[in-house]
Amino acid sequence: MISQFFVLSQRGDNIVFRDYRGEVQKGSAEIFFRKVKFWEDGGLQEAPPVFNVDGVNYFHVKVVGLLFVATTRVNTSPSFVLELLQRIARVIKDYLGILNEDSLRKNFVLVYELLDEVIDFGYVQTTSTELLKSYVFNEPLVIDAAHLSPLGPAAIFTQGTKRMPGIAVTKSVVATEPGGRKREEIFVDIIEKISITFSSSGYILTSEIDGTIQMKSYLSGNPEIRLALNDDLSIGRSQGPAYGYRSSSDSGTVILDDCNFHESVRLDSFDIDRTLSLVPPDGEFPVMNYRLTQEFRPPFRINALIEEAGSLKAEVILKVSAEFASSVTANTIKVQMPLPKCTSRVSFELEPGAVGQTTDFKEANKRLEWSLRKIVGGSEHTLRAKLTFSQESPVNVTKESGPVSMTFTIPMHNVSRLQVKYLQIAKKSATHEPYRWVRYVTQANSYVARI
């Protein structure tokens, strides 16, 4: 049970606010934003997703720069509320096509109608886009996707020979298209988030892949879909040996630790030929979630070296190596490294001919930041940073520095080698062939190298 739900912009503006029970004071949104902006508890740089202020529990998730927040005075399961906030964001995106501040403001009537159907007096009724279509009748005002960021969700899948139209990923599942005819198409996204910890000598200490197969259907008539995965897919680590370091093009069994499926998926033939059958509901939904903890070839190697040059100076050398095919390009890469508390100044030296790279020293929290617009597979990039200390360092500089962390996105690449072999539509249109889009993306979840 929740008392309030609201959405805040990055500036703290209240975009959407709904008070379901009247148990929490009206100024809760301002209290929450000030607490998050000036968080100084427990040494954390950012506020945790759940915290309590004056007897009010605040739950929040950040989605595309917007803060989705729920409040309650009762002892409610944090996992339940956080999952609810994610689902509300997904439902709103299904209806609006694009989830940002502009689309929320232009469609506030529709958003409030959705919130009143999803939650009644603080209790959740449904978060199914398909069920909500029977109760919500307002049409969305569709935002022009041409104004989106070039590195936004509509752009990261435009690499390769067959390009997906940029508007496709930002379409509403309920809006009527110009001309009155609905474009028949279906999207399947294999999204993998990687967590790796490297030792100071470069060995992998821990590695894990959290993956999901997302589907979004714009097919009329709710036809049955058959989705085939790798023939040699195995579930459970005991079913085969670890496959070690192989590239995504190598042969070898794909072994998942565990997985779960959406309620609409039928597994009648999954054990025989690894085929999933389903009638996709409206909106975006996860067909399958999976986890893999066996060794795999990391997409990037991070090497960090610190050389002390006297008592008041030191030099940091960072090298990032891309260990994937040269036909693949990673984008939005950011490398961060905490520096000693007594660091007063940092001067940077990039490699000759470096393009699309920026560096910065965040003096407030003593952190080095290195951003790269893109990295082509098989390439290496190096950064040298010369540190100046305000006082003679009393301890080892290496012990006060690090670890190095990295974030990135790699379109059309997956590390686990899980593949969609084919996507079959049982009932096709008599006049035209539906479009099928299968896309892969790899992202960093926790990519850390110790020094």
Side-chain angles (χ1 to χ4, degrees), residues 92-108 110-111 138-148 166-178 216 218:
I92 294 175
K93 183 179 183 299
D94 285 341
Y95 270 80
L96 306 188
I98 299 171
L99 182 57
N100 58 24
E101 183 177 348
D102 190 28
S103 65
L104 286 176
R105 292 190 185 280
K106 289 187 176 181
N107 291 278
F108 72 94
L110 172 58
V111 172
N138 273 298
E139 284 280 331
L141 299 173
V142 181
I143 306 299
D144 186 4
H147 299 305
L148 287 177
I167 188 69
V169 79
T170 61
K171 287 168 55 179
S172 167
V173 298
V174 295
T176 304
E177 294 191 11
K216 194 167 188 178
Y218 296 95

Side-chain angles (χ1 to χ4, degrees), residues 71-135:
T71 67
T72 181
R73 287 189 177 273
V74 300
N75 187 14
T76 305
S77 167
S79 299
F80 166 78
V81 180
L82 295 176
E83 176 65 19
L84 171 63
L85 293 174
Q86 293 282 5
R87 292 198 182 193
I88 290 175
R90 182 178 297 169
V91 166
I92 294 175
K93 183 179 183 299
D94 285 341
Y95 270 80
L96 306 188
I98 299 171
L99 182 57
N100 58 24
E101 183 177 348
D102 190 28
S103 65
L104 286 176
R105 292 190 185 280
K106 289 187 176 181
N107 291 278
F108 72 94
V109 174
L110 172 58
V111 172
Y112 277 107
E113 188 178 2
L114 285 170
L115 291 176
D116 288 341
E117 296 296 341
V118 170
I119 301 173
D120 184 19
F121 198 59
Y123 294 94
V124 181
Q125 304 303 305
T126 182
T127 56
S128 167
T129 303
E130 189 169 21
L131 292 177
L132 286 169
K133 287 178 71 174
S134 302
Y135 306 102

Side-chain angles (χ1 to χ4, degrees), residues 101-261:
E101 183 177 348
D102 190 28
S103 65
L104 286 176
R105 292 190 185 280
K106 289 187 176 181
N107 291 278
F108 72 94
V109 174
L110 172 58
V111 172
Y112 277 107
E113 188 178 2
L114 285 170
L115 291 176
D116 288 341
E117 296 296 341
V118 170
I119 301 173
D120 184 19
F121 198 59
Y123 294 94
V124 181
Q125 304 303 305
T126 182
T127 56
S128 167
T129 303
E130 189 169 21
L131 292 177
L132 286 169
K133 287 178 71 174
S134 302
Y135 306 102
V136 178
F137 302 102
N138 273 298
E139 284 280 331
L141 299 173
V142 181
I143 306 299
D144 186 4
H147 299 305
L148 287 177
S149 165
L151 290 178
I156 64 173
F157 296 111
T158 57
Q159 296 187 356
T161 55
K162 186 178 180 183
R163 292 174 178 263
M164 180 197 69
I167 188 69
V169 79
T170 61
K171 287 168 55 179
S172 167
V173 298
V174 295
T176 304
E177 294 191 11
R181 189 174 66 84
K182 187 177 180 182
R183 181 183 168 100
E184 298 282 325
E185 53 191 347
I186 185 169
F187 301 90
V188 178
D189 301 334
I190 294 86
I191 303 170
E192 296 187 342
K193 296 185 177 181
I194 301 179
S195 298
I196 288 184
T197 302
F198 294 97
S199 69
S200 57
S201 54
Y203 291 102
I204 296 178
L205 300 176
T206 61
S207 59
E208 180 174 308
I209 297 175
D210 285 315
T212 182
I213 301 178
Q214 293 277 129
M215 181 177 288
K216 194 167 188 178
S217 173
Y218 296 95
L219 301 176
S220 58
N222 293 329
E224 182 181 6
I225 305 295
R226 290 178 60 83
L227 188 147
L229 304 177
N230 308 50
D231 289 331
D232 53 5
L233 175 65
S234 295
I235 312 297
R237 299 188 61 172
S238 60
Q239 296 188 19
Y243 51 80
Y245 292 158
R246 296 190 181 102
S247 67
S248 58
S249 60
D250 290 341
S251 60
T253 303
V254 178
I255 306 175
L256 307 180
D257 283 40
D258 49 61
C259 63
N260 58 62
F261 301 92

